[in-house]
Amino acid sequence: MNIVERAKAPTPKFFKVLRSIGMALLAISGSIIAAPVVLPVAVVSIAGYAALAGGVISVISQITVDDTANRERAITNRLKKGNQNLPRDGIK
């Protein structure tokens, strides 16, 4: 499974919540970094580390795959592919 397939695959609920937290952390720290007011160096450096942490959390959470949903999707796709040439009334 390559990285694109992993990103498109279903994500477990816990990691969806974690991804949202990471995105919020990234947005808040980005707004602190881009603030037009002069902030102390410590606040800006902490915001930089928070932005990095939020980005990493979001990316890792996005590529985590729910195996049970992925298996169910694969089975459904196989059944659809196997049944595509059958007549609609089910008689062979």
Side-chain angles (χ1 to χ4, degrees):
M1 179 179 285
N2 63 16
I3 196 77
V4 175
E5 291 172 352
R6 288 186 75 87
K8 290 182 180 179
T11 305
K13 182 176 169 117
F14 172 74
F15 287 101
K16 286 181 183 179
V17 172
L18 201 59
R19 180 183 60 198
S20 298
I21 292 171
M23 293 300 284
L25 188 63
L26 186 61
I28 291 169
S29 61
S31 64
I32 290 174
I33 291 172
V37 238
V38 177
L39 295 171
V41 175
V43 172
V44 174
S45 64
I46 289 172
Y49 289 123
L52 177 67
V56 169
I57 288 171
S58 298
V59 168
I60 297 300
S61 296
Q62 179 62 41
I63 61 173
T64 304
V65 177
D66 187 6
D67 286 334
T68 56
N70 202 17
R71 281 190 220 124
E72 289 173 2
R73 182 186 287 171
I75 290 170
T76 305
N77 287 340
R78 271 187 266 144
L79 288 174
K80 284 181 184 177
K81 189 179 283 188
N83 291 333
Q84 69 185 3
N85 294 326
L86 293 178
R88 296 237 179 230
D89 59 1
I91 300 172
K92 291 185 179 183

